Structure formats: C-alpha cells, structure tokens
Amino acid sequence: MTAPTKTLSALLQRTTIDDHEEVLKACNASLKQSKGDLELQHVKFVALLKLDRYDDALRVLEEGGDRLKNRAEVERAYALYKNGELEEAKKIAKAISNNRGARHVEAQASYRSEDFANSAAIYKELLATQAAVENEESYLRINSGATDAQLEWNRQGSLVQKKKPVREDLEAFETAYNAACESIARGELGQGEVWLKRAKDLCNSLDELSDQEKFSELLPISVQQLYVLSKLGRAEEAEKLALDITLQETPDLSTRQIAQNNKLAASQTIPNPYISHRLFNSTKKLPKTDSLFQLQANRIQRNGLALDLLASKSNGVITTTSRMLSDPPPTLSAHTNSISVINAAAHAQSLLAKLGLKQMQPLLEKRPKDIGLIMTVIQLYVLTNNHGSAITVLESLLKKLSESSAPADQDVLFAPGLVALQVSLYTSQGRKSQIKTILARAASYWRHRSKQQPTGLLRAAGLSLVGSSNSKYESAARDIFNTLHTQDITSKFATAGYVAAHALTAPAKVTVEAEALTPVARLISGIDVATLEEAGVPSLPSTTSTTTRKRPLDEKPKPVKKRFRKSKMPKDYDPSKTPDPERWLPLRDRSTYRPKGRKGRQKAAEKTQGGVSSEKTQEGKSGGEEGVIKAAEKPGGGQGKGKKKKGKK
C-alpha cells in the first residue's frame, strides 16, 4: 500500500487544484490507506486552512503529532491566530527565526491582542526590507496604517512616526480610511471627514468588487462618518446618514454592533428608552474571533449601562457596577472612573442638586478615594453654585493622596486633569497664590519623570510662573521652559518662554533664541497706540463668586420714594351733607336705635335716660319693702287659693 500512497503524494505536489474541497476529499481517501503519511497530513491541514475550518485544521495538527507541528510551524501559528488563541500564536511565530511569513503572523496576532507597539515595530521592520511576494508592500502599508490609528486611539501617538498621509496613502480606499481614523483619533475631525469621503469615493469606483463586497467595505466608512458628524454637532446630517445604514445585511457582527450603537447615539429625537434598550441588546453575542477592541467594548458597555438607567433598571446597574468597582484604588483609568459615575447615578436615581447629593454621601464615606464618585459630587456642588463645598471635598481627597506613599497615588495626585480642576475651582474663588503653588508642585513632580511628561501641564505652569516676583517661582519657570525647549526646539511657545524666563537673570544666554523670535515691531505694527490710550484701560469683571446671601451695600443712597396712603373715605360719602354726630357711638347707644320685639322695647324703656317712670314702678319702689316689686293682682277670685290636691273619690 506504500507505492500508491507515494504516487498520490507526488501527484498532489505536481497538481494545481483550485477547488480545496476536492483536495480535501483526495487526502481523506488516501489517508484511509496510509494514516501516518506526513505529506498527506500536511496537505489536508493546508486545505482546511484554505476552507477557513481552523478548528478542524488544529485537530489534524494534533493528530499528526510533533512531526507535523515542526513541519508546519508558520501554518500552525496562523491557525491559532485565526482561531482566537492570540498569545499562543505570538509565542510560536516569535520563536521562528528568519521567516518573513512568521513575522506577518506575529504582527497580526500582536495587533489583535492590542500589543500595538510590537505590531508597529514589526511592520516598520518589514517595510524597511524588500517585499517577498507581489502586493506585499500594499498589504504592509494598509496594516501599518491601521496599527498607527490604534496607537493614536490608545494615547500612544508618540510612537507614530508618520503624522500626515502621503500621496500613496490616498490612492487606495483602505489606506485612506486608515488615514481618516488617525486624524479622528487625534481630534482632527474636519480632516478625518475629508479622508472618509475620499475612501468612500475610491471604494465606489472599484469595478472588481461585487455589490455585496462593496456594501461590506462601505459600511465601516459610513459608521465612522456617523461618529464624526455626531462629534461635530451636525445632528441633522448624522440622523439622515443613520437612516441610510442597514444592519440586517451586515455579515460582520462587530461592525453591526458598533453601527447599532452609533445609530442610537445619533438619534436627534428622544426615543422611547425601552425600545432603545431592546434595539441595543438585539445584537448577538460576539464570538472570540470577532471581538471588539477594549476601547470599543468599554464605550459600548457604558452606553448599555446608561440605557439601563433610562429604562429604570437602577438596581441591576448598581449590582453590575458594584461588582466591577469592588474595592477600587484611586486610578486614572477613564473606563473605571466612568463606571463609578454610573454607579453614583444609579444610587441617586439620576437625581441632581441636593437630592442627588443626599444619596451620594453614604457612598462617599465608603469610597473616599473613588475619583469618579468624587468628581460627580463636585460637579453637583458646582451646579448648585456651592464652590466652597466642592473645594472641601476635593481637598479631602488630595490630603488622603498626599499622605499615601504609593507611586500610583502620587500619579493621581498630580494628574493633569485633577490639577486643572483645582485651578478652576480656586480661580472661581480668586485664590491666585494657591494656583501658583499647585502648578509649581505638579510641574516639579512631572519634570523628574523620565517618561509620560504632560506637555500641556508644563506649559500652563510655566506661563503662570514666568511673570512672578517670587524668586522660587521664577526658578521653577526657568526649569520648566528649559525642559520644554529641550524637548521641542522648533516650538515658538517654548522658545518665547525660555527667553522670558532668562531675560532678567542671564540675557546673554538667550540672545540667539531672542533673535529667532518675531520682532516686537512687527507684532504691534497694526495696533494704534493713541486710540488705545484714549479708550482707557478696561476693567474686567471679577471672577470671584460671592457665596454670601446678604444684600451688598449700595454705593450711593437711593432717594426715598414717597408713599401715598390710600383714601379711607366711604364710597357714598357726600361732603355737602352734615355727618351724624352720633357716628362714633355704638349702634345700641344712638337715639335712632329701635330694638326688635316686646322684650327688647321694654328693656329699652327701663333704660331710658332722663324719662318719667311708670306708676307701678314708682309704687313698687315706695312700698314697705324697698327694692321689691309686687306682682299685679289678676281680676277675679281665687287668687289666694292654692291648687286643689287630688285625692280618692
């Protein structure tokens, strides 16, 4: 049985079969006769790779043992990469020396495992050498551009050497799309929009692509355009573009999920949150081989939690975010701090002002170093115009961080964003001296760091300290601008600051740099000094916000307004008539008073003032018993008889 197997192996080596299914069938038929034929196993393994059956290919590789693994090392690394086993693929490809194909696999595996720095270094090495196969240089340019875009997105732009695309990059839609992504990651949205339009036009002009292939290539471009329009604030254009994006025909699940997210975010009208929640979660779970990058996954996760809050699922959000924030140390991770903000919003039931602060106080006691939570509390205090309490909360955090000896806590203490927040709050209170102290300390900390020096913070600190009369601050300004000028000699800002910092102490040291700056006469050539002097010096409004509720004292007393009393005269008053002289007496004491009823009239007669009393009254008063009035006798007898008692008949 050995001769037929060798004959078939030789035949498979000489033949050129394009149908990989036929090759696989031939291998299976021959392997039934000779299971241990290494050549047939290798051909079957490659045929399965061509058919994208990577699990089956790796199974054949395991059945072949170490002999087959050693013979097909590059193919094995590629199969592991396509199957989502990235670290193993990188390890195997890196161990293969002097093999250009292995370098390609290592670069791709590094890219998918988000080791973008290693991937960029490999592509740079491959581009520096001569291409081994046709169109390899084009593929290298495309993959290198995609890696540079990911470096920009992950704040590693210092590793990107080519900041602007060259002419060759704008001749293919893939490289034009990568150039657009680089610009968008750097914040150059207008330039990114131009390159996206260029990429779309180039893709539409290709005749060798079918309609379905064009649709698959154009969808990521449209989704990126939707993101750019939303960031630029052109909501109507974004919503119109979102209506043109169809998701049902998208074969790529990761692209479909991103497209669904961008469509919901770009909606100008306020949709039903429950419908949005259902649409957002309608996409299928992504497989391991088509997963999102961590940056994309984090943003989509935060958007999903925000939709959960809108759909009144606060308890679920609290459970999910609390699990992610279990005893979190102070960190500068944007994702962790954003999750902390969402957790605080869920506890506060999305309430603002004092109601929200009341719900967050217990959380602040449990997590006193939670940066996201503290930023939320400070924001709520600022919204209620309570800058004093906001500063108190921030200073409490800074005190805890300054007492810690952990290097990570010190990085958080002098983080540019936290320093900017301190400066902003102190500016609202007019604390200028504290602002200089904070900037000087932060600049001194970062200047002694060999890596990750925040240029923006150093520039702000130098600008604030360079004009100070304090010798300590002047020395700090000189050190800052020395560092900035050394880092970038071509920067006009750094050069001007360098000259200003040394102008008083060592003017001879900066003579050359001063001559390189634009002359003052040219800078003020278009300014009319006489007109400025006539206009006077404008007084800027004070930025200090008063927290007292007392009314400020007026500079000039305002004239007292006369108060006109309203007339109290009755409506029917007639000045021609004489007023009633008894109008001040009570009604019952007036002469015109007539009581109602007999008893009332009798009482009135008894109380007559100055009148003649009746005879009966006089008799009663003149009798033997003074003060006793005798009852009048009734006519007829029997007045003295009592009532007859009843008895027995």
Side-chain angles (χ1 to χ4, degrees), residues 19 37 50 68 79 130 133 147 158 195 203 228 248 263 303 308 314 345 357 393 431-432 453 485 562 602 623 648:
D19 191 352
D37 194 310
K50 294 288 187 179
L68 183 57
Q130 187 176 1
V133 296
T147 305
S158 58
W195 300 145
C203 185
V228 172
Q248 290 74 17
K263 287 187 67 174
N303 290 345
D308 288 342
S314 301
L357 287 169
V393 173
R431 306 183 186 181
K432 297 182 180 180
Q453 292 187 357
H485 186 62
K562 294 183 179 180
Q602 184 178 357
K648 295 182 180 179

Side-chain angles (χ1 to χ4, degrees), residues 485 489 492 495 499 510-519 522:
H485 186 62
I489 302 177
K492 292 184 178 181
T495 304
V499 171
V510 294
T511 304
V512 178
E513 287 79 5
E515 293 177 353
L517 296 174
T518 305
R522 186 186 302 176

